[in-house]
Amino acid sequence: MSDTPTPSDDLTFDDSGRDYDQFGLTENPFPYSPVPADDPEVYCGQERVRSAVQNTVNTVLGTGKSKHLVVTGKYGNGKSHTLKYTRSRIRDRDDVVVGYVSQPGDGFLDVYHEFMYDLGFDAVQKLAYDFLALVARDELDVDPPDGDALETLLDEGEVLLSELVPVTVQRLTDVAKFADFARAVVHLVYEETNLYAWQWLTAEGLRYEQRKEMEIHSSLDDDSMGIRAFTAFKRMLLELGYVGVFVFVDEFESIARLTPKQKQSTLNSLRHLMDRNPEGLSLLFGCAPEVWQDVMAEYHAFSERVGEEAALRPLDEAYVRQLVTAYLDRGRAKPTGKIDPFTDEALAAILQRAQGNVRQVLSACSRVLDNAVDEDHSEITGDLVVETM
């Protein structure tokens, strides 16, 4: 009889899912793909890192002075998670603007581009209306509290853009020290040109005819212009009453793939950005430690301006217990603060196999919990962890 496999149609799919009731869980609370969520609900940060992040953010919020930080750690030890969790905790404040840059690209212009895109057209257009409202309160006989109220006045004909725009361009030019930036921001409120203005503000490039329509003479096509535009944007925000701008730059270690000339240029641009913005700016980097060591050894002018490094280390037993408990409580109707159905031996086995790596700990917990349900175990033991992994 032949051993040749025969075609089969037994690959079936359904969406019934697993039942985790036996463990008092409504779902598997661990991520199947352990990449950081955009808005993480759980953070078991190591105390030294948590303290450094809090100190950096609180200094900017409390004093208005710029302060920067780099969070280092091996792959999977929680750099992106730390940045995204911090971002989620502060971006709902109404006195700061927060942008996330997934990686620095080929230079500062890429950082600026991704920062603006993370904010999005609607948010930046709202800021444009807010600035027009600020000028309207000072220059006209109206008192719109914000951009939304000004839009209503414009729709009702109580205020005319033709009487408001010229004085706004001049006021914003005085504040931002960049006339083309001021014109681009104001053109965000015109339906005919708002997309051209957005393209210019995001450094996407614009034809001469399109720039001419908005009376914009320059292009944002290199790092120095990107720094100038970012600085103008931050000045506008401070004029509107914001305390500062937070920029989260993840995967900063990718600068290692740049040529020495590109790397030098990128770091110099970031240094110039810090020098030009002693107030109202916080850059928080996530970086692999070996790349950050090289930066500190070779690029003193940049690394000295960052000021502080907070190093994420592999998790120990106490942090693994805290992390697993926090995730389990997310899947319970009522949090218990306990690690069951995991036993102490199971956590020890997971810690040993994951070597303290956060990403691998979460992945292991997700797999072994599903296996426990499939095989109808009453608890998750060390032997089950070994069998599953």
Side-chain angles (χ1 to χ4, degrees), residues 108-109 178 220-229 269 276:
F108 179 75
L109 199 63
F178 192 176
L220 299 186
D221 54 7
D222 60 30
D223 282 4
S224 64
M225 291 298 287
I227 293 171
R228 194 176 177 194
S269 295
R276 292 185 63 171

Side-chain angles (χ1 to χ4, degrees), residues 29-43 78-89 91 100 250 327 330 359 362:
F30 301 101
Y32 287 109
S33 177
V35 295
D38 277 345
D39 293 301
E41 296 179 14
V42 173
Y43 181 65
K79 300 185 298 295
S80 298
H81 190 83
T82 299
L83 294 189
K84 289 186 174 180
Y85 184 79
T86 306
R87 178 187 62 161
S88 72
R89 299 289 288 176
R91 71 176 176 186
Y100 180 81
D250 207 352
Y327 270 92
R330 290 178 61 210
R359 188 173 296 166
L362 296 176

Side-chain angles (χ1 to χ4, degrees), residues 24-275:
L25 297 167
T26 57
E27 61 177 357
N28 186 336
F30 301 101
Y32 287 109
S33 177
V35 295
D38 277 345
D39 293 301
E41 296 179 14
V42 173
Y43 181 65
C44 296
Q46 297 165 27
E47 190 51 42
R48 186 168 168 278
V49 175
R50 182 194 295 267
S51 176
V53 169
Q54 283 187 171
N55 180 268
T56 299
V57 173
N58 290 343
T59 296
V60 177
L61 295 177
T63 69
K65 296 179 181 177
S66 297
K67 189 169 185 179
H68 317 292
L69 175 72
V70 59
V71 177
T72 60
K74 297 287 187 183
Y75 286 103
N77 275 351
K79 300 185 298 295
S80 298
H81 190 83
T82 299
L83 294 189
K84 289 186 174 180
Y85 184 79
T86 306
R87 178 187 62 161
S88 72
R89 299 289 288 176
I90 61 174
R91 71 176 176 186
D92 290 336
R93 293 178 61 104
D94 58 9
D95 60 352
V96 300
V97 167
V98 178
Y100 180 81
V101 177
S102 59
Q103 54 107 346
D106 293 334
F108 179 75
L109 199 63
D110 287 344
V111 173
Y112 168 78
H113 172 82
E114 192 163 349
F115 168 79
M116 294 297 287
Y117 252 88
D118 188 60
L119 299 184
F121 173 84
D122 290 345
V124 179
Q125 187 188 50
K126 183 178 185 311
L127 291 169
Y129 274 111
D130 285 343
F131 200 89
L132 284 161
L134 174 71
V135 175
R137 291 195 295 273
D138 293 343
E139 302 292 338
L140 306 178
D141 189 24
V142 291
D143 190 26
D146 55 26
D148 292 339
L150 176 70
E151 277 194 81
T152 301
L153 292 177
L154 289 169
D155 291 342
E156 294 173 349
E158 295 293 322
V159 174
L160 300 177
L161 275 176
S162 58
E163 63 180 345
L164 184 56
V165 162
V167 66
T168 301
V169 170
Q170 187 57 56
R171 172 84 171 266
L172 186 52
T173 299
D174 293 342
V175 169
K177 316 293 185 192
F178 192 176
D180 283 349
F181 172 85
R183 295 189 186 99
V185 168
V186 169
H187 272 279
L188 285 174
V189 306
Y190 288 104
E191 189 174 346
E192 302 81 10
T193 54
N194 58 20
L195 292 183
Y196 292 161
W198 178 242
Q199 281 182 258
W200 189 88
L201 285 167
T202 53
E204 284 197 342
L206 215 54
R207 295 199 308 273
Y208 170 76
E209 294 77 14
Q210 296 166 331
R211 286 192 282 117
K212 185 178 180 183
E213 191 173 347
M214 299 183 289
E215 299 182 85
I216 291 176
H217 306 292
S218 60
S219 296
L220 299 186
D221 54 7
D222 60 30
D223 282 4
S224 64
M225 291 298 287
I227 293 171
R228 194 176 177 194
F230 183 96
T231 302
F233 183 63
K234 194 218 66 180
R235 286 171 175 158
M236 180 184 79
L237 293 172
L238 297 189
E239 183 74 4
L240 284 169
Y242 288 84
V243 175
V245 183
F246 290 84
V247 185
F248 295 86
V249 184
D250 207 352
E251 297 187 14
F252 193 63
E253 62 271 9
S254 66
I255 64 167
R257 68 172 174 76
L258 302 178
T259 65
K261 185 177 180 181
Q262 286 178 309
K263 189 192 299 184
Q264 179 80 56
S265 175
T266 299
L267 296 177
N268 278 342
S269 295
L270 288 166
R271 175 171 66 86
H272 290 147
L273 181 76
M274 296 178 195
D275 290 348

